[in-house]
Amino acid sequence: MALIIGVPRETFANEKRVATVPEVVEKLIKLGFGVLVETNAGVGANCGDDAYVAAGAQIAANAAELWSKADVVFKVRAPSTEEMALMREGTALLSFVWPAQNPELMQQLAAKKATVLAIDCLPRTLSRAQKMDALTSQAGVAGYRAVIEAANAFGRFFNGQITAAGKVPPAKVFIAGAGVAGLAAIGTAAGLGAIVRANDTRAEVADQVVSLGGEFVKVDYEEEGSGGGGYAKVMSEGFQQAQREMYAKQAKECDIIITTALIPGKPAPRLITADMVKSMKPGSVIVDMAAEQGGNCELTEPGQTVVKHGVTIVGYTDLTSRLAKQSSTLYANNLLRLTEELCKAKDGNLNVNMEDDAIRGLTVVKEGAVTWPAPPLKAAPAPAPKAAAPAAAAAKKSSGHGAPSEPMPGGKLAVMFGVMAVLFWLVGAFAPPAFLAHFTVFVLACFVGYMVVWNVTPSLHTPLMSVTNAISSIIAIGALIQIAPPLAEGTAQNEWIRWLAVGGVVLTAVNMFGGFAVTQRMLAMFRK
């Protein structure tokens, strides 16, 4: 019997997202599930009941009806106490749960004999899990929205302008933390024309910051900041002191600071002190994306926008809900991909395979038994060492282009040189002197051209050959001369030469224009 997926209306304050959208409902039905949506569940995300019905879903009149009928529940926020009271025993739940911060909720879910897949516990280091990574999709939305909120509170343009009314300098934006949210903020701020700087404890993100148009500001202290699983770790006191000095300098210089630093299972680290806020220019803005976990700024008030020491401090905890339609669509797609992994048979039933690393990491309660935390992922096996190659094979490529360095057998080499010598003797003995001179130049040109081209890096062969093809088409001059040679007309020999010359002109014209066309296309690939 096919299971029914229930989508309740979120009850958390200011939460406008919904766990699935009408476009995804159709795909869930194709997997064999029935879909039941609480009335007005998607109103905050511009998804009305009519759209859900058109997609094939049924509408529950209230939360009690939905929780009583649903076999599987899709949610955004963790269930509240009231919702836990409505949950049937044996229900499957796919939602953000945050088991480390909600031990009481975990016990309540276990008491309901529920099977719970916490989307926040997905092992993010698994490449195949990226399609299910709701933390990443929601963080990207939040990073974008943080810049929009900063622009709304800021009193100037982001980009620099020179107008008849005066010159406007570009805004200077500093991003503290270059995770997914931070990178989204960097790209958005740079796109608006601001001068963007960013810092992160993980040195490996420096290239990503630069690629998005920002400048990576390094802390003058050497320490590795990667904590595994794609997150940062708690740094030493020495590093934190050096980091505070760098932040104090950026606070004095920058107009906008956006903080994104969070460490799983721990309060948000304090990065911006009250003294740093005092040192900022009047009219500056701080957007604290970690406000829900206490905030990265000492003066942040979660859920509020306050002005202190002339600086606007934005502490909203619902940044993703302020783009509810976009974030709901992305989250719904994440849950759809997870459901596809759980229902590979497309029969409307869930198979929680605990042998699958991604599913095992997500599953925090299995049929009433608490399975969180998941065991560490097994390290990928090291590749088997290759058998030692013979000494001769080690030098297989002498020029880097695959030419074998092993010497040719003496007999074969002697035969080849003998045949070539006979051919050259025949040419020299019977060919006219003028032809012999041109033939010698031709042979030397082939040899020199081969040596020059074949010693160029292989990746440059195509543009090199396209240009040389075009330039070498100077032989068209010779063909043009032969079309009308200064000899007697009417002989058969002259007619053959004439038509060969015409063919040569046609081919060299194709070679010439084609060579330049290919060159232009390749150069266009490197232009922005």
Side-chain angles (χ1 to χ4, degrees):
M1 182 177 177
L3 301 179
I4 296 176
I5 295 176
V7 183
R9 184 174 184 176
E10 298 294 327
T11 59
F12 192 85
N14 299 322
E15 183 57 75
K16 298 178 181 179
R17 290 174 291 175
V18 64
T20 198
V21 295
E23 297 84 355
V24 173
V25 166
E26 298 176 358
K27 299 174 182 177
L28 292 171
I29 292 174
K30 289 180 181 179
L31 290 176
F33 295 96
V35 180
L36 181 65
V37 181
E38 183 181 348
T39 185
N40 295 327
V43 169
N46 298 320
C47 298
D49 290 350
D50 292 344
Y52 284 109
V53 171
Q58 294 182 330
I59 302 299
N62 50 52
E65 179 184 349
L66 182 131
W67 285 93
S68 65
K69 293 181 178 179
D71 303 300
V72 183
V73 175
F74 284 6
K75 274 188 58 61
V76 179
R77 296 277 184 168
S80 64
T81 303
E82 293 76 12
E83 289 172 322
M84 285 301 305
L86 297 174
M87 179 185 285
R88 290 191 297 119
E89 284 194 358
T91 301
L93 173 68
L94 280 66
S95 173
F96 282 102
V97 176
W98 306 107
Q101 289 93 331
N102 296 303
E104 292 183 4
L105 174 62
M106 291 288 288
Q107 294 302 319
Q108 293 173 2
L109 290 167
K112 289 282 187 177
K113 295 183 172 57
T115 296
V116 183
L117 282 82
I119 201 71
D120 47 277
C121 292
L122 180 73
R124 303 174 77 185
T125 54
L126 295 175
S127 58
R128 58 177 289 268
Q130 293 177 0
K131 61 186 178 181
M132 303 179 276
D133 190 356
L135 282 173
T136 293
S137 67
Q138 301 304 290
V141 174
Y144 173 88
R145 184 68 192 196
V147 176
I148 302 304
E149 295 294 342
N152 179 58
F154 191 49
R156 293 205 321 263
F157 301 133
F158 264 46
N159 62 325
Q161 296 187 17
I162 299 177
T163 70
K167 180 180 179 181
V168 180
K172 294 181 180 179
V173 180
F174 179 71
I175 314 291
V180 175
L183 292 173
I186 292 166
T188 305
L192 291 174
I195 297 173
V196 184
R197 304 169 184 171
N199 168 262
D200 197 278
T201 57
R202 298 159 293 185
E204 63 267 21
V205 304
D207 291 339
Q208 300 174 40
V209 170
V210 174
S211 69
L212 289 170
E215 173 192 352
F216 187 77
V217 182
K218 188 177 180 181
V219 177
D220 190 17
Y221 193 98
E222 295 297 330
E223 183 176 347
E224 173 56 45
S226 180
Y231 297 97
K233 70 174 185 180
V234 179
M235 306 300 287
S236 67
E237 180 56 38
F239 181 93
Q240 293 182 35
Q241 178 59 36
Q243 187 181 54
R244 282 191 290 269
E245 293 174 1
M246 182 270 291
Y247 283 154
K249 180 180 178 181
Q250 295 301 322
K252 293 178 181 178
E253 297 178 0
C254 292
D255 303 299
I256 297 169
I257 295 177
I258 299 175
T259 65
T260 71
L262 280 174
I263 298 173
K266 297 182 181 295
R270 297 290 191 191
L271 304 179
I272 308 299
T273 65
D275 289 337
M276 294 180 195
V277 176
K278 291 179 183 178
S279 70
M280 297 181 73
K281 292 173 284 188
S284 297
V285 177
I286 296 174
V287 179
D288 193 340
M289 295 183 64
E292 192 167 357
Q293 300 299 324
N296 296 137
C297 177
E298 189 176 348
L299 302 180
T300 296
E301 295 185 14
Q304 303 294 324
T305 295
V306 296
V307 178
K308 296 186 178 181
H309 308 294
V311 177
T312 301
I313 303 173
V314 180
Y316 294 147
T317 59
D318 60 344
L319 290 172
T320 49
S321 281
R322 289 170 181 261
L323 285 172
K325 176 65 175 180
Q326 182 68 78
S327 53
S328 296
T329 301
L330 294 176
Y331 183 67
N333 282 323
N334 293 139
L335 292 188
L336 170 65
R337 301 309 173 199
L338 172 56
T339 306
E340 289 175 340
E341 292 293 317
L342 296 170
C343 183
K344 293 182 178 180
K346 298 184 179 180
D347 58 355
N349 290 284
L350 299 184
N351 176 27
V352 181
N353 180 13
M354 300 296 274
E355 299 298 321
D356 184 311
D357 287 339
I359 303 303
R360 176 63 187 90
L362 285 165
T363 306
V364 296
V365 181
K366 175 74 180 296
E367 297 174 355
V370 176
T371 58
W372 181 85
L377 293 176
K378 297 178 182 178
K386 296 181 179 180
K396 182 178 180 181
K397 296 181 180 181
S398 59
S399 63
H401 303 281
S405 60
E406 185 176 344
M408 186 181 296
K412 187 176 180 180
L413 186 64
V415 171
M416 186 183 71
F417 272 104
V419 172
M420 292 179 63
V422 171
L423 291 175
F424 275 104
W425 178 81
L426 290 173
V427 171
F430 299 100
F435 175 82
L436 185 61
H438 292 304
F439 181 71
T440 304
V441 173
F442 173 75
V443 172
L444 290 175
C446 289
F447 176 76
V448 173
Y450 173 85
M451 295 303 296
V452 170
V453 173
W454 217 244
N455 282 284
V456 172
T457 302
S459 60
L460 298 179
H461 278 178
T462 301
L464 174 66
M465 292 304 294
S466 64
V467 175
T468 53
N469 282 349
I471 296 174
S472 66
S473 296
I474 196 171
I475 60 174
I477 297 174
L480 290 170
I481 293 174
Q482 293 302 322
I483 288 177
L487 298 173
E489 297 291 338
T491 64
Q493 181 182 8
N494 285 340
E495 288 302 317
W496 274 106
I497 293 174
R498 186 192 308 278
W499 288 109
L500 287 173
V502 170
V505 171
V506 173
L507 294 175
T508 52
V510 173
N511 201 32
M512 184 182 302
F513 291 106
F516 282 122
V518 171
T519 302
Q520 288 301 318
R521 287 187 63 183
M522 295 205 62
L523 291 175
M525 294 171 61
F526 296 96
R527 296 193 185 105
K528 291 185 178 180

